[in-house]
Amino acid sequence: MSHKAKINYSGINKSFSGLKLINDVNIVLYGGKSMVLTGDNGTGKTTLLRVLAGLEKPDAGYVNFGCADISWKQARKRLLENVMYLHQRPYMFCGSVYRNLALAVPESMTASHTVERVNQAMDWGMLTRYAHTPARNLSGGQQQRIALARAWLRRSPVLLLDEPVANMDGQSITRTIKLLHRLKNDGISLLICSHNYPIFDSLADSHVELVNKRLIDPREIKYGGNITSINQERSHDNAVG
């Protein structure tokens, strides 16, 4: 699957105990683009990410990898291969940072190539000084950088991040966003779930909000739904500026 490819999800529905949580959600993820997803607690953001990653079965929904719509069930294997979901508290294996990264390298690689790739990942993730430190002893921000370095090693075309900077200090947030910019520049498609959109303003190409079980452009709330005229005004301002 090309990094520039897109995944088009349509008609995603999900209920729990008869209660509709997600209703007819449509979303398109483009390679090299970043989208930020916001919404109140309990609206279903994490559930939506898990459905998009192939981890949570929806009641209904279709996926299009560029040829034709297929059911979520038919698409699931490909989603699991191409979409990586990162929880806000990424799982760390027992052992060092080096071991945690080595586990992300394909087993088919030679020992020397594995060492080379892991060293590259540690340098990429600003983790070299922690190579022999137990990963579980590191801070949340450092563990998030390990998770992003594993994603970099796996080269997944799509990365879904659930509150990736939650409970981080300013320096850790800056480092994490720097790594996300690097992934985006490599052509990775990013969908970032966060309560704090402004933190990702420099990274985001688009912003959607999960409200009343549907995805909307947040400007629909602020401007009463007249998005077309807003975009026309912005286009005019850019043209005359």
Side-chain angles (χ1 to χ4, degrees):
M1 182 176 178
S2 168
H3 285 319
K4 292 300 181 182
K6 67 178 181 180
I7 304 180
N8 190 336
Y9 300 85
S10 60
I12 302 295
N13 289 272
K14 179 67 177 179
S15 300
F16 284 109
S17 302
L19 180 66
K20 180 78 76 173
L21 189 63
I22 299 169
N23 184 32
D24 197 28
V25 161
N26 305 310
I27 187 168
V28 184
L29 304 179
Y30 294 93
K33 297 293 184 180
S34 175
M35 177 184 292
V36 176
L37 167 65
T38 58
D40 293 337
N41 288 333
T43 54
K45 301 186 301 299
T46 293
T47 297
L48 176 60
L49 291 187
R50 290 179 59 80
V51 168
L52 301 183
L55 300 172
E56 187 88 37
K57 182 181 178 181
D59 301 329
Y62 295 91
V63 183
N64 192 319
F65 293 99
C67 296
D69 287 350
I70 56 176
S71 70
W72 182 92
K73 182 177 180 180
Q74 291 173 304
R76 184 171 186 246
K77 182 176 184 295
R78 195 168 175 183
L79 290 175
L80 292 172
E81 292 171 347
N82 290 281
V83 182
M84 188 172 182
Y85 168 77
L86 293 186
H87 192 271
Q88 69 180 73
R89 295 179 181 176
Y91 182 80
M92 294 291 112
F93 297 98
C94 290
S96 67
V97 170
Y98 182 95
R99 179 176 183 269
N100 270 263
L101 294 176
L103 289 172
V105 177
E107 294 181 358
S108 58
M109 281 192 180
T110 63
S112 60
H113 196 185
T114 295
V115 171
E116 178 183 1
R117 290 290 291 149
V118 172
N119 286 335
Q120 289 173 346
M122 287 192 295
D123 181 61
W124 181 90
M126 298 172 279
L127 295 162
T128 302
R129 62 182 294 190
Y130 306 110
H132 304 295
T133 303
R136 291 180 177 177
N137 291 352
L138 296 180
S139 70
Q142 291 161 342
Q143 290 185 3
Q144 190 64 254
R145 298 211 307 273
I146 293 172
L148 292 175
R150 289 194 300 219
W152 181 82
L153 281 168
R154 281 189 50 183
R155 292 293 197 269
S156 297
V158 179
L159 187 57
L160 312 181
L161 302 108
D162 198 348
E163 299 290 350
V165 298
N167 303 315
M168 286 188 191
D169 59 30
Q171 188 177 56
S172 295
I173 290 172
T174 298
R175 287 174 174 169
T176 298
I177 291 177
K178 181 178 180 179
L179 295 183
L180 292 176
H181 273 288
R182 290 180 181 179
L183 290 167
K184 178 181 173 181
N185 291 338
D186 283 344
I188 306 299
S189 175
L190 304 177
L191 176 57
I192 303 164
C193 175
S194 176
H195 285 94
N196 194 344
Y197 173 78
I199 287 179
F200 299 99
D201 186 57
S202 67
L203 183 70
D205 296 296
S206 57
H207 178 197
V208 293
E209 187 162 358
L210 190 56
V211 179
N212 294 328
K213 309 174 186 63
R214 294 179 179 270
L215 286 183
I216 66 166
D217 185 319
R219 293 173 297 173
E220 291 182 17
I221 299 174
K222 185 175 182 180
Y223 297 104
N226 194 8
I227 303 302
T228 301
S229 63
I230 296 168
N231 289 335
Q232 287 173 344
E233 289 173 8
R234 288 185 175 181
S235 298
H236 174 73
D237 292 340
N238 291 335
V240 299

